C-alpha cells in the first residue's frame, strides 16, 4: 500500500466529507503514471539490434564487401512477393499490433492496481486495490448475519457477494450496503466506486 496520507486515530484515512480543520489544501489526486521500463527496454533492444545489424552490413557494402545473405534474401523477398502474400500480411499485422501496443502504453497511465486518494496539497497518495478489498471485506464480515463475504474491487464498482446464515437477507443486504458505503468513504478515494451487493441465504 502506498502512502495513504494522514490517518485518524482508528487507523483509517479521513473521509472526504469529514476532512480536518484547515482542509482547504486537500486535493483530488490523479493516477500515477507507470515508468513502463520493461516495454521501453524491450522495444529499444529489438530496434537497436535490427538497426545495428543493418548498419553494420551497409558499412561493409560501402567498404567493398558483399551484402550479407540475410539482407539479400530480405530484399529479394520484399521485391518479389506480392502485397497480398500471406507473409507480407502477417508481417504488416504484427507491426501494427506492436505499434498499437506501444501507443497504448504511451497514452495510458498503467498501475491499475493503485487507486488515487484525496490527500493534502503536495502529497500524492495511492491505495492498493487489494488492500482496499481487504478492508471492505472486514467491514462486511462485521455485519450481523453474514458468514462469508467476497469483495471485488474495481475502478468504478465494488461488487460484494455475501452468504447469509441468519436474519432476513434483504435486511442484511441493506445493512451491508450501508457498512460498505461507510468504509468506502473512510478510504478517501478521489473517485469512490459505486457499490453493488449480492446476498444469498445459506442455512447449512
Amino acid at each position: 500500500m502506498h502512502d495513504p496520507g494522514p490517518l485518524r486515530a482508528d487507523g483509517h484515512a479521513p473521509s472526504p466529507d469529514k476532512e480536518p480543520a484547515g482542509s482547504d489544501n486537500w486535493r483530488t489526486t490523479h493516477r500515477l503514471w507507470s515508468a513502463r521500463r520493461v516495454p521501453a527496454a524491450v522495444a529499444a533492444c529489438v530496434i537497436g539490434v535490427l538497426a545495428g545489424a543493418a548498419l553494420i552490413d551497409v558499412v561493409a557494402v560501402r567498404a567493398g564487401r558483399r551484402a550479407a545473405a540475410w539482407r539479400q534474401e530480405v530484399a529479394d523477398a520484399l521485391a518479389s512477393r506480392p502485397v497480398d502474400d500471406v507473409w507480407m500480411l502477417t508481417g504488416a499485422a504484427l507491426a501494427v499490433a506492436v505499434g498499437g501496443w506501444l501507443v497504448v502504453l504511451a497514452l495510458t497511465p498503467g498501475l491499475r492496481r493503485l487507486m488515487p486518494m484525496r490527500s493534502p496539497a503536495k502529497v500524492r497518495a495511492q491505495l492498493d486495490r487489494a488492500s482496499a478489498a481487504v478492508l471492505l471485506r472486514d467491514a462486511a464480515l462485521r455485519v450481523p448475519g453474514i458468514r462469508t463475504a467476497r469483495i471485488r474491487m474495481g475502478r468504478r464498482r465494488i461488487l460484494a457477494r455475501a452468504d447469509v446464515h441468519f436474519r432476513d437477507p434483504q435486511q442484511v443486504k441493506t445493512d451491508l450496503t450501508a457498512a460498505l458505503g461507510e468504509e468506502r468513504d473512510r478510504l478517501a478515494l478521489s473517485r469512490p466506486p459505486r457499490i453493488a451487493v449480492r446476498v444469498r441465504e445459506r442455512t447449512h
Side-chain angles (χ1 to χ4, degrees):
M1 185 188 307
H2 286 228
D3 178 19
L7 299 178
R8 304 186 330 186
D10 60 2
H12 290 290
S15 173
D17 56 350
K18 296 182 180 180
E19 294 166 1
S23 60
D24 292 341
N25 292 329
W26 281 55
R27 64 170 186 169
T28 298
T29 58
H30 300 283
R31 289 174 60 190
L32 295 175
W33 281 73
S34 171
R36 309 288 195 187
R37 292 186 178 91
V38 174
V42 171
C45 288
V46 172
I47 294 174
V49 169
L50 295 178
L55 179 61
I56 291 173
D57 192 59
V58 169
V59 171
V61 171
R62 292 291 185 180
R65 299 180 183 178
R66 296 186 58 185
W70 65 268
R71 195 159 71 93
Q72 292 181 358
E73 292 178 1
V74 170
D76 293 341
L78 292 176
S80 60
R81 290 181 182 272
V83 177
D84 59 351
D85 181 78
V86 62
W87 288 107
M88 296 288 285
L89 296 177
T90 301
L94 180 61
V96 170
V98 172
W101 176 59
L102 294 175
V103 169
V104 169
L105 292 180
L107 297 180
T108 55
L111 300 177
R112 297 179 61 86
R113 65 183 181 85
L114 299 180
M115 305 180 69
M117 303 173 62
R118 287 182 58 81
S119 58
K122 300 182 181 180
V123 175
R124 301 190 66 181
Q126 307 281 325
L127 180 63
D128 183 79
R129 192 181 300 181
S131 301
V134 171
L135 294 174
L136 291 168
R137 185 195 63 191
D138 292 344
L141 292 175
R142 290 194 292 266
V143 176
I146 291 182
R147 172 182 293 175
T148 60
R150 295 168 298 281
I151 303 295
R152 182 176 180 181
M153 189 76 181
R155 291 173 55 197
R156 297 181 177 85
R157 187 178 71 156
I158 299 169
L159 177 59
R161 294 186 175 92
D163 292 340
V164 180
H165 65 107
F166 70 90
R167 295 182 66 203
D168 176 51
Q170 189 60 40
Q171 183 61 44
V172 172
K173 181 177 181 180
T174 301
D175 294 345
L176 177 58
T177 302
L180 292 177
E182 182 179 355
E183 188 68 23
R184 177 200 59 188
D185 293 341
R186 287 176 179 172
L187 298 179
L189 298 175
S190 293
R191 298 176 179 83
R194 62 185 180 88
I195 297 174
V197 175
R198 299 175 184 174
V199 298
R200 57 182 178 179
E201 189 173 9
R202 287 291 182 91
T203 57
H204 301 288

